[in-house]
Amino acid sequence: MALYPRFLAVLAAVALTSTLASPAFAQRASNQNQDEPAVREGSGRAPRGRQARAPRAPSEADVRTAVQGHLTALGNSCQMTEAKLLGQAPDKSSMYEIACATGPGYIVLGSTPPSATDCLVLATSAENARAKDPAAEVGTVCSLPANDNGPAVFEAYAREAGMDCVIDGAGIVGAAADGAIVYEIGCANADGARIQKSASGWTRSPCFELASINATCKFTQPAEQAATLKSWLAGSDAAACDVQQARFMGQNANGSFYEAACAGADGVIVRFNAEKAVQQVYPCATAQQIGGGCKLTTTPAAATPQA
């Protein structure tokens, strides 16, 4: 699946696995010889053996009808634009690939109950396996041209989650405790985020904040975070700071706190409101009581009072 230049499969938190047990599927039996019943009484000869006809391949309408029934049972809102029968899974359930008007396509298994696996999840799982072993058997993946749409899907999700940056990388990180897929979105020259969708809508966790809990964003670089903090300082008392390094320190009822290391100048700790407007600037030299003080800027030890 063609993705962003910086797209790599990432499964850092929870390994995503296909719901399909095997890449192989059993084909329906055809062209089997079946003998007719015993010779009828009074007949002078036995019937010759006949070859049973192969079952008729289902039409596209038949396939769409079957798949729509499975999607309805799953509560899946995909508006099918294309569907094809792949064959049978090992448990004899019919297996389909579908493309949707928006979002990713799916591999649908007509088991009881049915299941549908996101094409992006399957592609990520396959790339992850191949990264470990180029010869790895990766299982069933989507092949319809319409499902080679990773960049468009990731961008749509990012916009829905409120991200308006120029996207230069995206991927699946893993799954949350409730099973929701977690995506990482990288932004050109700006801080990225992880996003996930729940019943109440999208949630976004900036990479700045994730770093404070030792989580790593693959598509965001420190220089991009420094550029983001620099942009927030515009028009404030700290606007002259040429931010070289930046870190998120935490937040409380008063706002969120970030440290900036400035080129050729003393660093600062800055408190922002929810809209990232600067509320107060604390020079590192006097900010020892703010969240443990500056870590990116070396400040001289306080002078010992003379007796």
Side-chain angles (χ1 to χ4, degrees):
M1 179 174 289
L3 301 179
Y4 293 97
R6 290 169 60 189
F7 175 83
L8 294 171
V10 282
L11 297 176
V14 181
L16 297 176
T17 56
S18 168
T19 56
L20 307 178
S22 167
F25 51 78
Q27 299 286 354
R28 289 180 176 168
S30 62
N31 298 325
Q32 292 179 336
N33 289 329
Q34 296 181 352
D35 291 333
E36 290 187 348
V39 179
R40 293 180 182 176
E41 186 176 353
S43 172
R45 56 183 180 145
R48 298 173 60 187
R50 294 180 182 175
Q51 189 176 56
R53 291 181 180 179
R56 177 182 65 85
S59 67
E60 183 178 353
D62 292 336
V63 171
R64 283 176 173 264
T65 298
V67 174
Q68 188 57 60
H70 299 319
L71 294 176
T72 299
L74 289 165
N76 188 306
S77 59
C78 167
Q79 296 180 338
M80 273 187 295
T81 58
E82 193 173 355
K84 71 175 181 179
L85 176 66
L86 300 180
Q88 288 184 319
D91 66 356
K92 305 300 183 182
S93 299
S94 293
M95 188 188 304
Y96 311 87
E97 181 183 351
I98 63 170
C100 306
T102 60
Y106 296 90
I107 296 293
V108 178
L109 191 61
S111 52
T112 305
S115 65
T117 307
D118 181 326
C119 287
L120 292 180
V121 171
L122 290 172
T124 299
S125 182
E127 290 194 24
N128 186 60
R130 291 188 183 114
K132 294 178 179 178
D133 177 6
E137 177 57 68
V138 298
T140 303
V141 293
C142 298
S143 61
L144 288 173
N147 285 332
D148 187 18
N149 62 346
V153 173
F154 288 131
E155 180 156 355
Y157 287 169
R159 302 308 178 216
E160 290 173 15
M163 299 182 69
D164 59 0
C165 64
V166 175
I167 298 170
D168 64 355
I172 293 175
V173 176
D178 63 358
I181 300 172
V182 180
Y183 306 89
E184 182 188 337
I185 305 296
C187 296
N189 301 315
D191 189 40
R194 289 183 182 179
I195 60 174
Q196 65 187 76
K197 191 175 185 179
S198 64
S200 59
W202 288 91
T203 58
R204 184 171 76 246
S205 300
C207 291
F208 249 140
E209 298 179 15
L210 291 169
S212 68
I213 58 172
N214 297 319
T216 301
C217 283
K218 193 173 189 67
F219 304 116
T220 296
Q221 305 303 317
E224 292 176 319
Q225 294 181 324
T228 295
L229 184 53
K230 173 67 176 175
S231 70
W232 295 344
L233 298 179
S236 75
D237 292 343
C241 174
D242 181 7
V243 182
Q244 299 298 295
Q245 291 179 279
R247 72 180 180 102
F248 171 71
M249 299 176 62
Q251 58 189 9
N252 58 26
N254 295 321
S256 56
F257 296 78
Y258 291 78
E259 179 188 354
C262 308
D266 292 337
V268 292
I269 291 175
V270 185
R271 176 167 60 86
F272 297 89
N273 65 11
E275 289 72 38
K276 291 298 183 286
V278 175
Q279 301 298 292
Q280 193 164 354
V281 177
Y282 308 88
C284 284
T286 59
Q288 289 84 357
Q289 302 305 313
I290 308 297
C294 293
K295 306 297 184 186
L296 303 177
T297 299
T298 301
T299 57
T304 302
Q306 297 296 318

